[in-house]
Each structure stands twice: as structure tokens, then as C-alpha cells.
Amino acid sequence: MNNAIGAQLKQARNEKGWSLDVASQFTGVSKAMLGQIERGESSPTVAKLWDIANGFKFPLSYFLGTVSKDVMGASEVRELTPVTNKGLSISTLFPFDKTTSIEVFSLSLSPNYQHISLPHNDGVIEHILVVEGEIEYFLDEQWHPLYQGDVVKFNADQQHGYRNSSKSPSTFHNIICYPSAL
């Protein structure tokens, strides 16, 4: 997985024509860390991947696999590999689609796990659907409960987060819609 993320990061830098210094300035991730990720020497957290994706103005799924064409040649698909950090596992259900400007993830939270996300790029909207268990989402400086089957939509260009305060694992789907400028 580290090598795949590293290859995508290097490809993203090449597409933008950015040096490691420039990439560091746009992502807020140190030049040394970006170099380690590119060489497959470091495994970035989901939070670091978000910082990198936001800095490049790319969807998160860009960094979670390699692009290939399906048998019909009609659309791009990715080899989907879950990323797991302490307490959080994220799997791509649908990678970013240029036609719809969305990507879809499945996130699983361990009991008592909390993640606060920095604001995404302007205009990014998240949709949450709780599939199993219960979670809380953080928005406007407060936590809001969601139970199995509940849904919510919010502007993600502000600080937001997710937590599982229960004693059982929880899973939710996250549909992220990017502005048409991406």
C-alpha cells in the first residue's frame, strides 16, 4: 500500500509540475515526509492523506490505488485497498468520478475512536449514512448523534469530525462531492 500511495503522490507532483518544496507548501506536509511517502518508507495516516489531497485539490481516492480501465474501456476503476489506522479503517466503494464529481467511502470506527478533520477545499460537501451502530459527527463546535439508518449532509469546508462513543464498532458510508472546479 505504501508503494501505491507513493507512486500516486509522485504522479500528482509530476502532473502539477511541483517540486517537493512546492508540494510541501501547498499540503502543509513536510518535504521530508513527502519524500518518505513517495519512496514507500512511510505510511501516511488518513489525516495526512487528506492534507495531501486537499493541497493538490485532488479527491482522496486518487491516493488510494492505481488507475486502470475496465473491460469496456468506458470508465476508470481503481484497485481498492482499505487503509487502516489506529481505530479507523477506510475503504473506497466508488473512486472519484469526473462526471458526477463524487467519491464514496466506507469508514469503520472502533469503540471510543475520534477523528477531527481540518476543512476541505471550498465547496466540498459530505453526506453520511450510518450503516451499522451509532456515531456522532462534529460540526459547528458541537457533536450530533446519528444512529443506524440516519443520514446527514454538510459543507465540509469547515472543521468537522466523527467519533464512536459506543462500546461496539460502527460503520458509515461517506459520499464526498467536490466542486466542479476539480
Side-chain angles (χ1 to χ4, degrees):
M1 187 64 186
N2 289 357
N3 290 334
I5 292 171
Q8 291 301 111
L9 176 55
K10 189 168 189 163
Q11 181 178 330
R13 276 197 321 105
N14 288 337
E15 286 178 21
K16 294 275 190 183
W18 290 356
S19 66
L20 283 172
D21 282 327
V22 172
S24 177
Q25 291 170 7
F26 278 92
T27 64
V29 177
S30 74
K31 176 182 169 181
M33 174 62 76
L34 291 171
Q36 290 172 354
I37 293 168
E38 278 193 12
R39 293 187 301 274
E41 297 170 358
S42 181
S43 177
T45 63
V46 173
K48 282 283 184 234
L49 280 177
W50 267 118
D51 290 343
I52 293 167
N54 283 335
F56 279 91
K57 296 190 184 225
F58 284 174
L60 179 63
S61 61
Y62 178 91
F63 295 99
L64 297 178
T66 54
V67 176
S68 62
K69 295 281 185 185
D70 68 9
V71 291
M72 298 301 287
S75 64
E76 292 182 346
V77 294
R78 293 182 181 258
E79 296 174 23
L80 307 178
T81 306
V83 174
T84 303
N85 294 121
K86 194 182 305 181
L88 169 68
S89 178
I90 181 169
S91 299
T92 306
L93 298 179
F94 295 98
F96 179 74
D97 182 306
K98 291 177 185 174
T99 303
T100 62
S101 297
I102 65 167
E103 61 188 354
V104 182
F105 298 101
S106 179
L107 288 87
S108 295
L109 306 178
S110 297
N112 301 311
Y113 178 81
Q114 175 178 304
H115 172 76
I116 298 292
S117 181
L118 294 174
H120 299 315
N121 294 315
D122 289 342
V124 174
I125 298 172
E126 291 195 24
H127 307 74
I128 298 173
L129 165 64
V130 181
V131 177
E132 181 181 342
E134 56 189 75
I135 69 164
E136 294 173 277
Y137 71 99
F138 183 77
L139 197 63
D140 299 325
E141 301 296 322
Q142 59 184 334
W143 290 98
H144 308 273
L146 292 173
Y147 303 95
Q148 186 171 337
D150 285 350
V151 297
V152 68
K153 172 177 113 173
F154 59 87
N155 291 328
D157 53 4
Q158 58 188 313
Q159 186 182 45
H160 57 283
Y162 318 99
R163 76 178 176 192
N164 178 359
S165 299
S166 75
K167 296 181 182 184
S168 302
S170 59
T171 301
F172 65 96
H173 291 172
N174 190 350
I175 302 166
I176 303 176
C177 181
Y178 294 88
S180 57
L182 282 180

